[in-house]
Amino acid sequence: MRNGGRVARWFSRHRWIALAVLLLLTFPVLVVVQMQGLLDFNNYREAERESNPLVASLLRGERLAPPQPLPPEVFTTREVESVRPDLRRANRKWDRLKPEFAQLLLQVYKDMRDKYGYQMVLIEGYRSPERQRRLKSKSGYVTNAGPYQSYHQFGLAADSAFLRNGKLVIAIEDEWTQRGYDLYGKLAQQYGLTWGGNWSFQDFGHVELHGTRYDDPTKHRR
C-alpha cells in the first residue's frame, strides 16, 4: 500500500511527463494501424475494379477521350432554359466524374454516334451539394433529392442530351428524340448503368453507376 501511494503521488506531480511517455509508446501502434488501413483501401479498390470485367478492360485498354467542350451559348438558349433552368451553371468537366463511370459513359456516347447517328452531349456531371440544394428548392422541377442524396455529388451520375443541327435538344419533341432516348437507355443498361427513364420520376437523360466502393446505400437517385 505504501509503494502504491508513492506511485500515485509521483503520477500526480508528473502527470504531463507520464502523458508524454504514454503518447510515445502508442504512436507507433497508431501509425501501423493507419498504414494497414491505407493498404486495405488500395487493395479493395483494385479488387473492385477486377470484379467488373467491363470496367477493368476499359481502364486497362486505350481510354476514350471526352469530346471537345461546346460553346457556352449552346446551353443558354430559351428552349434549353425552359426545360433545364440554370443549366449555364452546371459542371460539365469530365475529370470530375469517377474514371470508371466516365469510361462507361463515353463508350455509350461512341455507340450512339457510330451505330445510330446520335451525337450525345454531357449537360451536367458533378453537382455540388449547394447546387443540389438549390435545384431541389425549385419544387422538384429538376431533382427530388437533397444534398448528398444524389449520385451527382459523388461523380457517379450524369445528365445527357442530343446535339442536332448545332442545337441542344433535351425535351422529347418528336419521334427522333424519343427513339434517341430509348436507344440511349438500352445501351446504358447494357454497360451496367442505371437509367433514369425507368423511374416513376422519369429522367431520360440521366444515368448513374451503382455497385462501386463510392456507392452508399443511403443515397437516393438523381
Side-chain angles (χ1 to χ4, degrees), residues 125-142:
Y126 169 78
R127 186 183 292 161
S128 69
E130 292 75 19
R131 178 170 170 79
Q132 188 72 37
R133 183 182 296 107
R134 185 167 61 250
L135 291 177
K136 186 185 179 183
S137 69
K138 298 180 182 296
S139 303
Y141 191 75
V142 176

Side-chain angles (χ1 to χ4, degrees), residues 28-43:
V29 177
L30 295 175
V31 171
V32 171
V33 171
Q34 180 68 20
M35 289 302 297
Q36 183 63 43
L38 290 176
L39 291 174
D40 291 343
F41 176 84
N42 291 330
N43 290 336

Side-chain angles (χ1 to χ4, degrees), residues 80-149:
V80 170
E81 285 288 330
S82 66
V83 181
R84 288 291 298 265
D86 204 30
L87 191 60
R88 69 184 68 193
R89 299 183 183 181
N91 189 300
R92 287 179 279 274
K93 295 181 178 180
W94 284 87
D95 60 1
R96 293 304 303 272
L97 301 177
K98 293 293 185 292
E100 300 93 319
F101 175 58
Q103 284 299 304
L104 290 171
L105 185 59
L106 286 170
Q107 187 63 53
V108 174
Y109 278 23
K110 183 177 184 298
D111 287 355
M112 286 291 292
R113 182 188 69 245
D114 295 347
K115 295 181 179 179
Y116 307 113
Y118 283 86
Q119 183 176 353
M120 304 297 300
V121 177
L122 177 67
I123 63 174
E124 183 162 17
Y126 169 78
R127 186 183 292 161
S128 69
E130 292 75 19
R131 178 170 170 79
Q132 188 72 37
R133 183 182 296 107
R134 185 167 61 250
L135 291 177
K136 186 185 179 183
S137 69
K138 298 180 182 296
S139 303
Y141 191 75
V142 176
T143 180
N144 55 9
Y148 297 109
Q149 294 179 329

Side-chain angles (χ1 to χ4, degrees), residues 10-11 13-28 30:
W10 187 91
F11 273 102
R13 295 173 181 174
H14 304 88
R15 64 173 70 90
W16 296 113
I17 296 176
L19 180 59
V21 171
L22 180 62
L23 289 175
L24 287 173
L25 292 174
T26 58
F27 181 74
L30 295 175

